[in-house]
Each structure stands twice: as structure tokens, then as C-alpha cells.
Amino acid sequence: MDDFVVQALVRAGTCRRHASTFSFESPFYTLHHKTRRRGDGRSVETARGFRTKPLGQGSAQATATVWEKWQEPSQEELKGLVDTYDFEREKQKAEREFHQNEEEPWPEGPLLLQYPHDEKKKHYDGLPQGAGAAEFETVRQIEELLTDEESSHEQIYAIYQTLPFPRVSYLSEPTIRKLTHHLSVVERFRKDEKVMMRFLSIIDDMKAANIPATAAEWTSAMHFAGRCVKRVSEVEVENALYIWRQMEAEAGVTSTNVTFNAMFDIAAKAGKFVLADVLLKEMQRRNLRMNRHFRTGMIFYYGLKGDGEGVRRAYKELVESGEVVDTIVLNCVISSLIKAGEPHAAEQVFGRMKNLHRAKTGRQAPPTYWREQRQLTRVLNRASTQLQFDVKAKKDVQDLSPVAPNAQTFRSLINYHAIQVGDLSRVTDFLKEMQDWKIPISAPFYYLIFNAFWKYGGVRYSGWTRMRLEGFWESFLEAQEKDPVSYVYTKPLVITAIRAFGATAGKDRALQVWERIREHWVARPDEMDHVQQHIFRVMRAHDGPPSWSVKA
């Protein structure tokens, strides 16, 4: 066991300096929020640089005739989507090692806890004495907003903050649960420090009001503390461990398999693989079952470790456990194989999932709206348990589950070919194929492309030329004009675009692009200051591109 595991567990169990991490006395600045609009399914076909001819007889629809009659794939056929080798010898060896080590003493720390099961939970179901008309109206507004899942988190939290401290004591228990659930449901790419502080401040208020939090609420707090940063580090692991100790040792709330999944995910993404293994052993000791989400996380875990065979083994075990294979699982396999240094194997899986979808004539494509995808994931998680003994029903679920590529599939492949390899022609092929699958080229794809131009632009004999960059930039502006909500400027995209033009077209063109952005971007003062600093760096670094770099 590495030193970090022991130190983190002990520190999280004994050191009180971490408590200041979750003290939220500073004001939270609310932002104007517009409800995210559902995608209309339009691709950026008219955008410059992406025009392709209409599909002919050789299109994806014509390919569906490969199989005259659809038959539900067997477990062996599902395994065949990913090259799975014979791991029986390795599996037996791992089982022997586990039994040999299962008698090892458990390290001291927050995972070895005493649960005060005899302590009665306290519930609160009304407004405190002294509450006036203003507090009643505030609570009414919060409850009304919570009836709509699309209600702005910023708006709800701003209204909630107007209540006297401890604010949560003015809400009934059902309203508290609705509030924490609403604030815990956040789109993947919108999780940041403000989202974390918003949720953890509610937990802080609940502790101050002596109102118990549920296991799901504690788990969400751990997840936000560990995953609301771009790169998970040792600090995030310690913060999550600290919250976990509060949950089990102080609040007496027993962890579920979802709790372990959250901690395992944080440890793995921080590169703390020994800690992740320790968590797996503790989960087995508590006889907690791995759900579908956890098994998918195991695939990614081996990818992070650079273990391609482990990726295949984890996928094989997921299939054998009876879990449903869908686009999310196969996307995880693809990204994990790329991380494990096997991009060719990842593209083989990509090809097989396309063929499987085309053979399933009339089947649905993966949902594009994130809430619909979340709901599908919840359904599939329940299916493996509820339909455990109903073979036909489980086959029907597998038959109806989408396995077609989606935006995340292409994002993994384009990220590899654009950032790691710098192969513009392959990136262009994938962008054209996205149009064939009617997948719009969203803002994250432009971020990847601009990042690649920054990395490879302005280099002799490179395909990343100014002319091609201008084409991508104009296609982004056209897409933004059609859908300003989905293609809104963000600080990372703005910085990357300016860097790309600085490296490929020179500082004068970079300044012109910045002037265009500044006219249309409503940025916070701190964002503007950060961008200005990067512009100064671009000005110092690039006096202008070589004459040959402007050629197509």
C-alpha cells in the first residue's frame, strides 16, 4: 500500500484542518441562467468545411440489409464486440491472491467505523416559530420552482439564501429532499466549483440545523467535492474522504454501493490505484453488489492504468453478469482502450458497434438530451436487478437498448487523432461521418479542433493551416448564429481559439478574432481578466506566421 493511502486515511480521520475546506461563509455570486434548450437534431451541414454530398445507396440505411432478420445477440456475440481473450488463468490467480490477503488487518481510518444504529433520526416538517409572511412566501417560491426539473439552480439557490440561517430549517423534510436532489442533478460538463459550493452549503445548513442527510445526499457531496475540477488530484481525494468520515463516523449513515462507486471513481481518476483497490476489497467485505455503473467504471479504471487486457476482462465480466450493453458501455471501452495505448483496438470496437446498430433495423439512436440519457441509464441500472430471472424481458431490453455511436463516441476518437496524433485528415473523416449519423458538431468539438490548431498550427508541412482554421472558425460562427445557446462562448473555448489563431495566423489576426468575440461575449470580470492575460502571452509569443503557413 502506498504512503498516500495510509496518510490520507489517517489525516481524514484525525486532522481538523480539512474542515475549513467546507465552510461557506463567503457570498455566492449568482449568475443569469437560461434554461438549456433541447437540441433540435440539426447538424452543422451547412457550415463551411463540412459540406458533404447526400447519402446514396451505400448509406447507413442501406447497410441495414446485412442481416435479413434481426436476432438478439447472445452473450458470446456481445463479447465479440470487444476482443476478449482467455483470462481464466489470470482470474484464478487473482482469486487466490484475494483469499490470501483477505485476512490482512484493515488500515485505521474513516473506513473502519462504528455505527450508532440505536440513535434515532430527527425529522423536521414545518416552519420554525417566528417565521413571518416573507419566509412563507420564500418557501412557496422554492417549492414551486422545484416542481420543474428544468428550473435554474442559480435562481433556486439565490431565493434559498434569502432565508435566515440556518436556512434549511424553514423547509419541510420532503422539500429538503427535493431541493438536494434538484441541485445534485447537473450536466456532466457544467460541474464546477460553484456547483460544488452550492450543494455543500446545503449540507452545512443541515448539520447546523441538526437535520440528518441521507446516504444519497452524502454521496452527492462526496462526488461534487472530488469531481468538480478539471483534473482530480490528491486534494480532491482527501476532501472526499473527509466527507465520507463525516457521513459514517459522525452522522452514522451507512455507505451504499453507490457511495463506494463515487469514492472509487474519484480515487481512480486521481491515479490513486492502490486506494481504489482497497475500496474494492472493503466493498466486497461489506457484501455490496456491483451495479452496472460500477462495472462500467471498472472498464475505465483499467484504461487509466494502461491495462488493455484488464479493459477487455472487465467488459467480459460486465456481459457475463447479465448487464445490458449499450452505447455508454461501448463508449467506455473505446475511451479506455485509447487510454491504454490501443487506439486500433478502439476503432475496431467503433466499427463493430456501427455494424450492430445498422443490423438492428428500426431501432432507436441514443438520446441526445442529457436528461433523457440519464433516465435511460437509470432504467438500465434497474433492469439487471428487476429482470434477473426473466430472460425474455432482459433480451427485449437489450434489443431496444441503443448501441449506435453518439457524440461522446466521436469525441473520444477525435480527441485522440486531433490532440495526441495531429492527424487532420482523420479528424475531417470523423466530422463527415458525424453528419452521416446526424450528430451535430457541438461546441466541445470546436474546442478540441482549436486546441489542435494551437498545438500543430504554423508548422511547416503540417495540414493545420490558416485557411483550414478560418474554415472551422466560420463554421462555428454560423452554428452560433443559428443556436446561440448551445454555441455560447466559454472561457476555455475563447482562450483556445485565440491561441490557435496566434500560432497559425499571427498576433494581428488573433487580435481581430478577439475583437469579434468581445463584441458578443457577456463575460464575468474574472473571466475577462483571465482571457486578457492569455492575449498578452499570445502577443509576446507570435509576431506572425511564416509565409508558407497560410497555404492550404
Side-chain angles (χ1 to χ4, degrees):
M1 182 180 300
D2 62 12
D3 291 338
F4 167 75
V5 178
V6 178
Q7 294 174 6
L9 291 174
V10 173
R11 279 201 301 270
T14 60
C15 182
R16 289 300 174 188
R17 67 179 177 84
H18 296 88
S20 61
T21 307
F22 304 105
S23 179
F24 303 102
E25 298 300 326
S26 58
F28 173 76
Y29 296 97
T30 57
L31 303 175
H32 176 66
H33 175 86
K34 295 182 179 179
T35 302
R36 183 173 176 84
R37 188 169 64 190
R38 293 173 183 258
D40 56 8
R42 295 177 299 176
S43 60
V44 197
E45 291 139 7
T46 58
R48 300 184 188 179
F50 303 126
R51 293 189 177 91
T52 56
K53 296 180 180 180
L55 294 175
Q57 295 299 320
S59 67
Q61 296 178 349
T63 312
T65 60
V66 173
W67 292 355
E68 294 182 4
K69 184 178 180 181
W70 163 252
Q71 293 182 347
E72 172 61 30
S74 64
Q75 276 198 1
E76 293 304 317
E77 289 171 324
L78 288 173
K79 292 177 188 176
L81 290 172
V82 179
D83 291 324
T84 54
Y85 307 133
D86 186 7
F87 292 105
E88 291 305 317
R89 183 177 304 173
E90 290 84 349
K91 186 175 181 181
Q92 293 173 4
K93 179 181 178 182
E95 290 175 349
R96 288 196 302 270
E97 292 176 350
F98 174 76
H99 290 303
Q100 291 171 359
N101 297 330
E102 63 181 357
E103 299 301 327
E104 293 180 0
W106 184 251
E108 294 182 1
L111 303 184
L112 189 59
L113 304 171
Q114 300 295 326
Y115 309 117
H117 293 294
D118 56 339
E119 182 178 340
K120 294 182 180 180
K121 291 187 176 181
K122 300 177 182 179
H123 298 278
Y124 192 84
D125 57 2
L127 290 171
Q129 293 183 354
E135 287 75 25
F136 275 96
E137 175 61 19
T138 300
V139 172
R140 187 198 65 78
Q141 292 179 21
I142 293 173
E143 291 177 342
E144 182 179 353
L145 287 170
L146 290 176
T147 60
D148 182 5
E149 67 176 12
E150 298 283 359
S151 293
S152 162
H153 290 196
E154 289 85 351
Q155 182 182 7
I156 292 175
Y157 187 73
I159 296 174
Y160 169 79
Q161 280 194 306
T162 63
L163 291 170
F165 183 83
R167 305 169 186 86
V168 74
S169 64
Y170 286 80
L171 307 178
S172 66
E173 183 170 342
T175 303
I176 294 172
R177 306 309 170 199
K178 290 179 182 178
L179 174 64
T180 55
H181 173 74
H182 190 91
L183 296 183
S184 70
V185 179
V186 183
E187 190 175 6
R188 175 184 173 186
F189 298 105
R190 295 182 181 274
K191 294 178 182 178
D192 55 21
E193 186 178 356
K194 287 186 174 61
V195 170
M196 175 189 71
M197 293 181 67
R198 203 159 47 211
F199 188 87
L200 294 184
S201 69
I202 303 292
I203 302 297
D204 245 13
D205 290 350
M206 292 173 70
K207 289 189 292 183
N210 201 24
I211 298 174
T214 64
E217 290 163 346
W218 281 112
T219 301
S220 295
M222 290 165 48
H223 173 79
F224 283 135
R227 294 297 315 281
C228 280
V229 293
K230 189 174 183 179
R231 295 186 180 182
V232 183
S233 68
E234 182 176 329
V235 173
E236 283 69 45
V237 175
E238 290 186 3
N239 289 342
L241 283 171
Y242 175 76
I243 294 177
W244 196 5
R245 177 169 180 80
Q246 285 187 313
M247 170 185 174
E248 291 206 333
E250 298 178 19
V253 178
T254 305
S255 298
T256 65
N257 58 350
V258 180
T259 309
F260 275 90
N261 183 32
M263 270 307 310
F264 178 84
D265 183 62
I266 294 167
K269 286 182 170 60
K272 304 302 178 184
F273 302 127
V274 174
L275 176 59
D277 292 336
V278 168
L279 294 169
L280 281 175
K281 286 186 178 182
E282 174 66 3
M283 186 176 175
Q284 291 173 330
R285 189 180 71 83
R286 298 190 186 191
N287 294 319
L288 295 176
R289 174 184 174 273
M290 279 191 183
N291 59 15
R292 178 176 178 274
H293 190 68
F294 206 128
R295 291 189 180 279
T296 306
M298 288 294 296
I299 297 173
F300 193 71
Y301 165 68
Y302 285 110
L304 291 172
K305 293 182 71 173
D307 184 356
E309 293 185 355
V311 170
R312 297 179 181 88
R313 181 171 60 250
Y315 172 78
K316 178 182 177 182
E317 291 173 353
L318 181 146
V319 175
E320 290 177 343
S321 69
E323 298 290 350
V324 176
V325 174
D326 72 333
T327 299
I328 289 181
V329 172
L330 295 176
N331 281 350
C332 185
V333 172
I334 289 173
S335 63
S336 300
L337 287 173
I338 290 175
K339 290 181 182 298
E342 299 190 28
H344 296 296
E347 293 202 34
Q348 288 179 353
V349 176
F350 174 61
R352 290 166 186 164
M353 68 188 295
K354 289 189 295 183
N355 292 336
L356 180 60
H357 171 77
R358 288 164 177 167
K360 297 172 72 168
T361 308
R363 306 310 179 201
Q364 295 182 349
T368 56
Y369 186 54
W370 70 276
R371 288 189 182 275
E372 294 172 352
Q373 179 61 69
R374 181 178 181 272
Q375 181 61 29
L376 174 62
T377 299
R378 293 168 65 88
V379 170
L380 295 181
N381 283 338
R382 292 194 297 267
S384 62
T385 302
Q386 297 176 352
L387 305 178
Q388 184 176 2
F389 303 106
D390 192 336
V391 178
K392 183 181 182 303
K394 184 172 286 188
K395 284 185 176 181
D396 290 341
V397 172
Q398 179 64 70
D399 183 20
L400 295 171
S401 298
V403 293
N406 63 2
Q408 181 58 44
T409 318
F410 286 97
R411 192 178 298 123
S412 296
L413 295 167
I414 289 177
N415 180 71
Y416 170 75
H417 286 283
I419 306 302
Q420 297 187 43
V421 179
D423 187 347
L424 180 59
S425 62
R426 196 76 180 100
V427 170
T428 303
D429 290 340
F430 282 121
L431 292 174
K432 290 179 179 178
E433 193 169 358
M434 286 177 63
Q435 292 184 2
D436 296 342
W437 288 91
K438 302 187 184 305
I439 300 174
I441 302 168
S442 58
F445 286 95
Y446 285 102
Y447 171 80
L448 289 176
I449 292 168
F450 295 147
N451 206 7
F453 272 101
W454 172 44
K455 186 174 182 179
Y456 299 105
V459 179
R460 187 184 292 273
Y461 307 123
S462 167
W464 303 88
T465 63
R466 173 177 177 174
M467 184 177 294
R468 288 174 177 167
L469 174 59
E470 296 284 1
F472 282 108
W473 177 245
E474 289 192 23
S475 69
F476 172 78
L477 295 180
E478 290 179 10
Q480 188 182 63
E481 184 176 352
K482 295 177 181 178
D483 187 357
V485 175
S486 299
Y487 294 87
V488 65
Y489 288 120
T490 62
K491 185 179 70 174
L493 189 143
V494 168
I495 291 174
T496 305
I498 293 172
R499 283 173 166 176
F501 276 98
T504 308
K507 65 179 183 180
D508 291 339
R509 179 58 181 139
L511 279 175
Q512 292 175 359
V513 170
W514 167 236
E515 291 299 328
R516 166 67 173 76
I517 293 173
R518 191 163 58 177
E519 291 176 1
H520 299 83
W521 183 30
V522 181
R524 300 194 307 268
D526 61 315
E527 290 180 321
M528 190 65 68
D529 292 342
H530 196 189
V531 172
Q532 290 282 10
Q533 293 175 10
H534 283 276
I535 292 175
F536 291 145
R537 294 174 188 170
V538 170
M539 297 304 101
R540 290 195 300 266
H542 304 288
D543 293 327
S547 59
W548 44 262
S549 70
V550 299
K551 298 178 182 179

